[in-house]
Structure formats: structure tokens, C-alpha cells
């Protein structure tokens, strides 16, 4: 009887151990947005005067092993937190994470609408568990996109632009910058190009001051400065 009991315990032990090994070694993919929700994306169609749609690219990443083949993941719109309407202000397509990579891009199409002239719309996207991926609740499990057709600080006007090229943002400064340089987006510009546009704007402001011009296109020029050296 004792021998049978010992054999039974040994079998149970190995059975449980094997189950744990299989569970802990089982492949599990974790997914999240690369940026936290605090780094919300803001898009204004003012920056794209000839476009009626704009593609937002939100980076996503996985933890674990790279995928042997592309797999779908799930993104839902948080309707309680969103003011933008799917099918009107934006649209989402099937989302798939590529094989052999740790980072990929979620693409969302924004549509220019007449009501964006008056209001900014918020779109909140949440990652959701599905059969392919697990989402760990954190500041990276959802993303916020804000869209309007009003003048607002573009994403590319970041700390580097503030410190090295154009200084602190204001709607008036941005409006004049567009008028003077005919540029609305420096996100793809090289440092040399950013410097050239900033200098063009700076020299224009200096010329207006020398000529005694205090207002241009309804904008007061006093206090508008550009820190780029040159």
C-alpha cells in the first residue's frame, strides 16, 4: 500500500511540474502603445490646407518574442471618453502586427469636417485582449488623438523647436511663420532646413522692426521673437 501511495505522489508531482513548465513556457504576446496617453497627438487641418483627410500613425510595440507571422490585434474606441464620431471624423481599418519586428504602426484616417472649424474632437483608442495578444493595464494601453480645423500647436513644434529654432509657440507666431516661409510642417525637415526657415522668419521680423511696422495681417509684432542664432 505504501509503495502504491509513493508512486501516486511521484506521478502527481511530475504531472503538476509538467503543467507549470508548459504554462510558463507557453508563448504569450503582450502589446501596448509605445507612447503613454499623456503624449496625446494633436492634429489641425489648418496645417494641411489642401488635404481633406490625414493619416495618423500611432506606434505600438510588443514584449516577448517576435512573431513568426503577422497577427491581428484589437483596438476599440472608448465612446465614453471620445467626442469624435467613427465614420464621420475618423475611421479605423483592420489592425495587424507584422512578423519579425518588435514595433509596428497603427494607422487611423482623420476626415476634415465643417464642424472642426468650431470644435476640437477627441478620439480615445484602447487596446483590448484578443486571442493573439494580452494588454497589461497601464498608461500605455490607450492613446488620445485630438483633431480640429483650428489653429493649434502642431506636434512638430516640440521642445527642440522651442529651444533651438522658433521659441515659445503662439497662434500669432505660427500664423506669421506660415505667411513668411510658406511652411506648415517641419516634422520631416532636417536641422539645416529648420534653421534656414527659422532664420528666414527671424530676419523678416527684424526687417519689419527696422521699417517701423508694428502690425502685420492684423497681428501685433511686439513680443514675437525667434531664438535661432545667426
Amino acid at each position: 500500500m505504501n509503495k502504491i501511495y509513493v508512486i501516486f505522489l511521484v506521478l502527481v508531482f511530475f504531472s503538476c511540474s509538467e503543467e507549470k513548465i508548459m504554462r510558463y513556457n507557453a508563448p504569450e504576446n503582450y502589446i501596448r502603445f509605445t507612447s503613454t496617453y499623456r503624449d496625446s497627438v494633436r492634429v489641425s487641418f489648418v496645417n494641411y490646407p489642401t488635404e481633406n483627410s490625414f493619416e495618423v500613425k500611432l506606434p505600438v510595440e510588443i514584449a516577448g518574442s517576435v512573431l513568426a507571422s503577422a497577427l491581428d490585434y484589437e483596438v476599440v474606441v472608448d465612446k465614453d471618453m471620445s467626442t469624435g464620431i467613427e465614420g464621420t471624423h475618423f475611421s479605423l481599418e483592420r489592425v495587424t502586427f507584422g512578423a519579425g519586428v518588435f514595433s509596428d504602426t497603427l494607422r487611423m484616417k482623420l476626415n476634415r469636417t465643417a464642424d472642426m472649424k468650431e470644435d476640437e474632437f477627441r478620439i480615445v483608442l484602447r487596446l483590448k485582449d484578443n486571442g493573439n495578444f494580452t494588454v497589461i493595464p497601464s498608461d500605455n494601453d490607450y492613446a488620445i488623438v485630438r483633431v480640429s480645423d483650428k489653429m493649434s500647436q502642431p506636434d512638430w513644434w516640440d521642445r527642440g523647436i522651442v529651444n533651438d529654432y522658433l521659441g515659445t509657440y503662439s497662434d500669432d507666431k505660427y500664423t506669421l511663420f506660415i505667411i513668411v516661409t510658406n511652411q506648415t510642417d517641419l516634422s520631416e525637415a532636417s536641422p539645416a532646413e529648420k534653421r534656414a526657415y527659422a532664420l528666414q522668419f527671424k530676419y523678416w521680423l527684424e526687417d519689419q522692426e527696422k521699417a517701423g511696422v508694428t502690425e502685420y495681417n492684423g497681428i501685433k509684432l511686439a513680443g514675437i521673437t525667434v531664438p535661432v542664432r545667426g
Side-chain angles (χ1 to χ4, degrees):
M1 178 65 68
N2 289 338
K3 289 183 179 180
I4 294 174
Y5 181 71
V6 170
I7 292 172
F8 173 76
L9 288 178
V10 170
L11 290 174
V12 169
F13 173 78
F14 279 110
S15 176
C16 292
S17 299
E18 184 178 358
E19 182 182 352
K20 288 182 179 180
I21 292 172
M22 289 177 66
R23 183 168 68 248
Y24 292 135
N25 287 345
E28 190 162 15
N29 302 305
Y30 296 97
I31 191 167
R32 67 177 188 175
F33 287 109
T34 302
S35 301
T36 69
Y37 74 91
R38 297 182 183 90
D39 301 316
S40 60
V41 176
R42 179 172 269 111
V43 175
S44 173
F45 277 102
V46 168
N47 303 328
Y48 311 97
T50 62
E51 302 296 330
N52 289 318
S53 64
F54 181 84
E55 185 180 67
V56 172
K57 299 177 182 179
L58 300 172
V60 291
E61 61 186 13
I62 59 172
S65 302
V66 295
L67 306 177
S69 60
L71 293 176
D72 290 347
Y73 58 99
E74 187 169 357
V75 176
V76 297
V77 179
D78 189 321
K79 295 183 179 180
D80 292 333
M81 296 182 64
S82 300
T83 56
I85 301 172
E86 188 170 6
T88 299
H89 301 112
F90 71 97
S91 59
L92 281 170
E93 298 181 356
R94 175 180 173 182
V95 285
T96 301
F97 203 98
V101 294
F102 284 105
S103 60
D104 209 330
T105 303
L106 185 156
R107 301 174 188 272
M108 178 174 64
K109 180 183 177 183
L110 301 177
N111 304 311
R112 189 179 214 148
T113 56
D115 52 6
M116 289 179 181
K117 287 285 186 183
E118 302 298 329
D119 297 309
E120 181 181 71
F121 293 91
R122 181 177 63 250
I123 303 160
V124 181
L125 303 178
R126 286 188 179 274
L127 293 169
K128 188 177 179 181
D129 292 351
N130 67 359
N132 298 323
F133 295 95
T134 299
V135 180
I136 301 177
S138 69
D139 290 347
N140 298 73
D141 65 353
Y142 65 100
I144 301 175
V145 177
R146 305 176 190 274
V147 58
S148 72
D149 200 4
K150 303 188 295 182
M151 185 67 71
S152 64
Q153 183 171 352
D155 286 341
W156 60 262
W157 198 309
D158 55 16
R159 186 177 301 176
I161 291 291
V162 170
N163 293 338
D164 300 331
Y165 301 104
L166 295 175
T168 303
Y169 174 86
S170 73
D171 289 349
D172 286 345
K173 180 186 282 189
Y174 188 27
T175 299
L176 289 174
F177 177 78
I178 294 172
I179 291 172
V180 173
T181 66
N182 199 33
Q183 298 296 315
T184 61
D185 187 355
L186 298 186
S187 59
E188 301 297 327
S190 67
E193 290 171 329
K194 292 175 183 176
R195 174 176 167 77
Y197 291 128
L199 285 173
Q200 180 184 354
F201 187 32
K202 179 177 183 177
Y203 295 155
W204 181 86
L205 289 170
E206 292 176 350
D207 289 342
Q208 303 310 303
E209 184 178 7
K210 291 176 183 178
V213 178
T214 60
E215 187 174 305
Y216 188 89
N217 202 41
I219 298 173
K220 294 182 179 180
L221 301 182
I224 297 180
T225 59
V226 177
V228 64
R229 295 182 180 182

